[in-house]
Amino acid sequence: MIGRIRAIASATFREAVRDKLLLLVVLFAIGLVLFSRVLGWLSVEDELKMVQDFSLTGISLLGLFLAMLVGAGSLAREVERRTVYTVLTRTATRTEFILGKYVGLVLVFWLCIVGSWLALVAWVLTWGGGAFVGATLPALVAAVVGLLFESVVLTSVALFLGSLSAPAIASVGTFVFYMVGHSTEALRELTDQGKNPDFAAAFALLYRVVPNLENVNFINATTSGRPVDWVSLGLGGVSAAVWAAVFLAGAVALFRKRQF
Amino acid sequence: MFDPRFWLVVGGVAAAAALQGPLGQTNADRRRNDFRYTPDADVARVLSLGHRSTLANTIWLRGLPDFAREFRDKKLKKRWLAGVFDVVTELEPGFFTAYWFGSTYLTLVDRDDTAAIELLESGCRRMLAIEEEDGQEYYITTRLHIELGMTYYMWSKDKEKALEALEFATRRPDCDALTRNMVVAMKMDEGEDLVALTYAATNLDSPNRNVREKAEEDFERTKMRMVRREARRFLETHTREPVSIAELREFAPGVPELIWDGAEMDADGVFAFPKHAATELRATLHGAEYAARIYRDNHDEWPPLEWLTTPGWDPDRPNGLGTLPRPPAGQAWHFDPATGKASVIDLPQ
Amino acid sequence: MTPVVEARDLEKTFRPSAFGKPVNALRGVSFSVAEGECFGYLGPNGAGKTTTLKVLTGLMTPTEGEVRLLGGPPSDAMARLQLGYLPENPYFYEHLTPLEALEFYGRLSGMTASDVRSRADTLLARVQLEDARDRRIRGFSKGMRQRFGLAAALLHEPQLLMLDEPLSGLDPAGRRLVKEIILAEREKGRTVFLCSHVLADVQELCDRVVILHTGKVVREGTIHELLESAPRSFELCATKVPEALVARIREVSELFREAGDTITAHLAGATAGPELAAAVHDAGGRILSLVPERETLESWFVRVIQGGSDA
């Protein structure tokens, strides 16, 4: 079973890596990293803060776009091109197919995220020197690890929605998920401060039942020198993995019922 | 030579470009006094989708050019920039520049020290909460308190509040020497010698050699100034100079014992603080070497000694850092252009 | 002996949309394929051939009925271990090379990487893709894809080959190549399940045939039985034919053309063509060509449905 998942994952990986779309998305992210320097110049002060903040936001959006553009449509593409026929008529089960696709996609996305992140580190090193990078490196590492965790969840959601509906709808759904997943905490805080008490119950519920992507959000204030809470990053990773497992289980359940 | 369609495209682009310039100008003029909208801080927090720092940066970059821009509606400008400061610092509580530029703008341009103080105090509050959460101190907190203290001191003329904020900063090791010396002087004025000495002693055991040496110099100078102050009081009371350290000590029983440590009186009845002199000399030499290094970085060679000692010695390469004071009695400045080391040498008798 | 493939009373109903009218793609289809047999599954486009194949390979579950594939249900992954399937107009991972794709499929069929490598070269040579082994499949023509698909289906030397329109999209040389490969596999004792809408293709390859129309089996039997009832015709082209004979030919032919002293006649039936050709020859005329023509199943069925008569 592991062998077959690996085979599907590696085919997915190669297939995605060689796709021009991926190159385009990654170039966009790296372009944003380089462009962030211009925003730094505009800001008079805090030049490298601007570079880091805008770049990390860019890399987070990269993870989102990959899930939306590559992840959400990947199952539909297999079905549409009928490549799935050649896979599922061998000894691979549908569960293995979904898991293999997932692993392959996550690996590709990780590669893209880490690549863009390395571009950011090199860029900061160019303008800020070793001392600056040294001082903010733990925060930068935590930020990218958080983004990798986020990508784990986003990819599983994209696959789940992709096995449920058409690629365009799955893409939009993934985007909405990203928005909601990042705002439940802020929404709940709003009501905690006594504002909008009418929505308190709804927001509290939303906070519980929607994966909280803020748990793995370590991209804020990387230049502040605040210590990284590695334990909560780790727990965020565990939580991300659990949610990913839930969405994958959903994707498998839907995919197993599917008639081709 | 080309297809007519080619010229049609070229003509279209040219027409569009020609139109775009004046049109853009008209629009820019119109936009200049457009309504500026800053969302409520809470709304901004939700809208940021977790990218709080980035949204703070974006709003900051949007507001920055408007600092110096003339608005037809002055109230709009005030409201807009106040909103910028509020939202930016709410989104990123540690965004020092926003507090710093913001309070400077509010005092210097808007002449609204209440708003400036409100902004800085909110920063102090937020940073203290963060420090409590992290169990760690941040330089921003110190700087915010200094800015707050200086705003009270210079704009609100509220010495008490100023001292409160500055004292907070002074108690922290990362406070700059200038601020600390100011607080030490204010405390001395209030007759709180022990407190002043305690503040002056803050970095005496710093692991950083430069910080430690600077602290030693400041500490010794504080002691010396206290001894000299007592000597002046003695003169006013007795209309004569004290004849010995012991006599002066007896005259001033209230001052901390500590200040007499290292105080000397020579045969001519003049007070001297060899320890202060030594720390001061050391600081001066460090300063000279620092200036020399800057000179070398700019001109690829070490400066001549005269550049360090004589004001305006080389008009083409001015010494913006200031030149060396008179050397100690019986000695002369020396600079070794091979190593960049500054020192003093004894003059031949 | 247990049949290699067995279908009993298969029904498959699709609902194109939530409010659409259900479509019955299969209506009680039953057949079985014995080991070593080359089985032709015939029917015009839209008859339900591909649906049957999807049900047989587990890509779909039937609405009603039962399927056994190599002794087990097709949903059982292990039952599919001995299955080599070539879909209609196959597509593969576009950015892989044939070698990489074979490695991938090999691993999905329980082969080791070294097994695959040792087989890949022979296989690619066999389907004449050895020069394209390191090119991406993206740039392949339809025929190349078809040939590669056959290689992929043969990779793990399966007991059962299921081929959906294996000859479509191929040039004459490619058709010959694929036919040779299928015949060779049959020689080796493999069971072949071949779907096609072209009667002539099946005729050369298959022992036994089932004909499907609008989701129902309309005819089943050996290829000989079928050929007996299969409509055929001849196109006769001759020159210097005596006047009387020309008149006779014109009378019986469906289509007739005369240009100078050359005539071209379209003659229905299995016997009229050869008989008239012999008559022309005997009368001293010269035969330019006598081409047998077989209808496609489609036109046959069109005729059957329109004419209401059994073909």
Side-chain angles (χ1 to χ4, degrees), chain B residues 273-291:
Chain B
F273 267 77
K275 204 168 173 187
H276 173 251
T279 54
E280 196 178 33
L281 176 61
R282 195 174 54 192
T284 307
L285 291 174
H286 278 165
E289 286 168 5
Y290 177 66

Side-chain angles (χ1 to χ4, degrees), chain C residues 266-298:
Chain C
H266 203 265
L267 301 156
T271 51
E275 278 171 14
L276 284 173
V280 169
H281 183 260
D282 292 344
R286 238 181 80 209
I287 293 167
L288 295 175
S289 65
L290 177 68
V291 183
E293 286 179 336
R294 275 207 184 96
E295 277 179 295
T296 63
L297 276 178
E298 242 164 314

Side-chain angles (χ1 to χ4, degrees), chain C:
Chain C
M1 204 166 63
T2 10
V4 177
V5 181
E6 194 177 13
R8 246 200 323 266
D9 306 324
L10 288 187
E11 302 260 352
K12 182 71 192 177
T13 309
F14 292 111
R15 206 171 261 281
S17 69
F19 306 103
K21 224 175 121 191
V23 175
N24 295 314
L26 297 178
R27 300 186 290 176
V29 172
S30 298
F31 59 85
S32 71
V33 181
E35 197 181 327
E37 199 176 14
C38 186
F39 182 82
Y41 199 60
L42 279 163
N45 291 332
K49 299 190 301 291
T50 299
T51 303
T52 313
L53 269 191
K54 284 180 179 176
V55 169
L56 291 179
T57 51
L59 290 170
M60 262 182 199
T61 48
T63 315
E64 291 285 334
E66 208 192 332
V67 174
R68 306 289 287 177
L69 181 81
L70 294 150
S75 57
D76 178 4
M78 281 304 124
R80 299 196 299 263
L81 189 60
Q82 287 300 330
L83 168 68
Y85 173 55
L86 171 68
E88 187 181 0
N89 302 328
Y91 262 80
F92 304 94
Y93 292 106
E94 297 279 284
H95 295 287
L96 299 187
T97 66
L99 209 58
E100 287 170 333
L102 284 183
E103 237 163 75
F104 167 63
Y105 288 122
R107 279 162 74 186
L108 290 186
S109 294
M111 295 172 77
T112 63
S114 60
D115 282 349
V116 176
R117 247 167 274 135
S118 63
R119 290 259 307 143
D121 286 335
T122 358
L123 262 178
L124 289 177
R126 204 167 155 199
V127 296
Q128 295 176 1
L129 285 174
E130 64 267 58
D131 296 334
R133 50 178 281 169
D134 295 319
R135 273 170 54 191
R136 292 190 192 176
I137 296 176
R138 189 186 180 81
F140 277 22
S141 70
K142 203 176 168 201
M144 287 166 89
R145 283 168 204 262
Q146 191 84 347
R147 280 182 278 143
F148 171 74
L150 192 63
L154 293 171
L155 177 67
H156 52 301
E157 308 198 291
Q159 281 306 307
L160 170 63
L161 277 173
M162 276 193 172
L163 312 173
D164 196 352
E165 305 281 3
L167 297 169
S168 74
L170 292 171
D171 56 21
R175 290 168 68 89
R176 199 168 54 241
L177 176 74
V178 170
K179 280 179 186 171
E180 276 167 14
I181 291 172
I182 294 172
L183 287 172
E185 290 301 310
R186 211 183 88 175
E187 287 299 304
K188 286 188 205 163
R190 307 268 150 78
T191 312
V192 179
F193 187 108
L194 197 149
C195 266
S196 180
H197 68 279
V198 183
L199 185 58
D201 292 345
V202 176
Q203 182 199 340
E204 288 172 59
L205 300 169
C206 296
D207 312 310
R208 208 160 58 83
V209 168
V210 154
I211 296 177
L212 197 69
H213 182 57
T214 57
K216 270 184 176 161
V217 175
V218 292
R219 200 173 279 256
E220 184 179 1
T222 64
I223 197 77
H224 297 295
E225 291 167 349
L226 190 79
L227 282 177
E228 286 303 304
S229 64
R232 29 198 324 202
S233 61
F234 287 90
E235 190 191 72
L236 173 67
C237 194
T239 184
K240 294 186 181 131
V241 184
E243 250 347 275
L245 197 52
V246 170
R248 204 178 118 203
I249 293 173
R250 190 198 304 262
E251 209 166 289
V252 295
S253 61
E254 284 181 332
L255 275 169
F256 184 81
R257 242 181 7 257
E258 196 170 0
D261 56 356
T262 305
I263 58 160
T264 308
H266 203 265
L267 301 156
T271 51
E275 278 171 14
L276 284 173
V280 169
H281 183 260
D282 292 344
R286 238 181 80 209
I287 293 167
L288 295 175
S289 65
L290 177 68
V291 183
E293 286 179 336
R294 275 207 184 96
E295 277 179 295
T296 63
L297 276 178
E298 242 164 314
S299 59
W300 184 30
F301 274 109
V302 167
R303 209 147 52 83
V304 168
I305 295 157
Q306 283 174 348
S309 67
D310 194 0

Side-chain angles (χ1 to χ4, degrees), chain A residues 130-192:
Chain A
F132 184 83
V133 174
T136 57
L137 195 61
L140 278 177
V141 170
V144 75
V145 170
L147 291 177
L148 296 179
F149 288 154
E150 179 172 281
S151 162
V152 163
V153 184
L154 285 177
T155 312
S156 71
V157 169
L159 271 189
F160 171 72
L161 293 174
S163 62
L164 187 69
S165 57
I169 299 171
S171 276
V172 173
T174 308
F175 180 66
V176 170
F177 172 83
Y178 179 90
M179 292 204 338
V180 176
H182 272 298
S183 53
T184 55
E185 194 169 281
L187 285 172
R188 198 191 62 148
E189 271 173 18
L190 269 188
T191 55
D192 275 359

